[in-house]
Every structure is written in C-alpha cells, then in structure tokens.
Amino acid sequence: MEELVRFIVEKLVDDISGVTIESEEQDGVLVINVIAEKEQIGKIIGKQGRIAKAIRTIVRAGANKEKAKVSVEIIEK
C-alpha cells in the first residue's frame, strides 16, 4: 500500500525530495504518513480535500482486497 501512495504522490508534486512517506502499524491498522513541505501539501490535499479523499478511497479499496485496514495521514513538515 505504501508503494501505491508513493506512486500517486509522485505524480502530484513538483519535487518529490520534499516529501517523505512512512508507514507504521497501530492497533492492527497500517498508518501511512505522507509528510510534505508546506508548498507541496496543497497539491496533495487539493481543493476542499478532494485529492486527499480520493487517495484514501483508492488505498482503502486496495486494502479491502487484502482484508487489511489502512489509514492515510497527511502531515506538514
């Protein structure tokens, strides 16, 4: 799932070097943290959070196929 998020985010931002993607397990849920600089965060979230919602929907759909729970968090550096 982390690779899927990385692929999507790479296509959205201008400079991938300002973005870090980490994953960790919390209470049986895989949490994928997208940590980005302020200039890049708007491109990842989108207008009214539409792009962020779409990313979460895609990841959730992929996780359902694997019977897993995944959460995507977008954090500003």
Side-chain angles (χ1 to χ4, degrees), residues 1-67:
M1 288 296 125
E2 184 177 342
E3 295 84 23
L4 176 61
V5 173
R6 185 178 313 279
F7 177 78
I8 295 169
V9 170
E10 283 178 356
K11 303 302 179 193
L12 293 172
V13 298
D14 296 329
D15 184 18
I16 193 65
S17 64
V19 179
T20 306
I21 300 174
E22 303 170 345
S23 60
E24 60 187 6
E25 185 83 21
Q26 292 181 354
D27 299 327
V29 177
L30 177 65
V31 178
I32 301 173
N33 295 316
V34 179
I35 306 164
E37 294 176 358
K38 188 171 186 165
E39 300 82 34
Q40 304 294 337
I41 210 108
K43 294 177 182 176
I44 297 169
I45 295 175
K47 289 185 179 179
Q48 298 179 352
R50 289 184 182 145
I51 294 175
K53 185 177 179 182
I55 292 170
R56 290 182 177 117
T57 302
I58 291 167
V59 170
R60 205 172 302 123
N64 281 341
K65 284 183 116 177
E66 298 176 5
K67 306 282 191 246

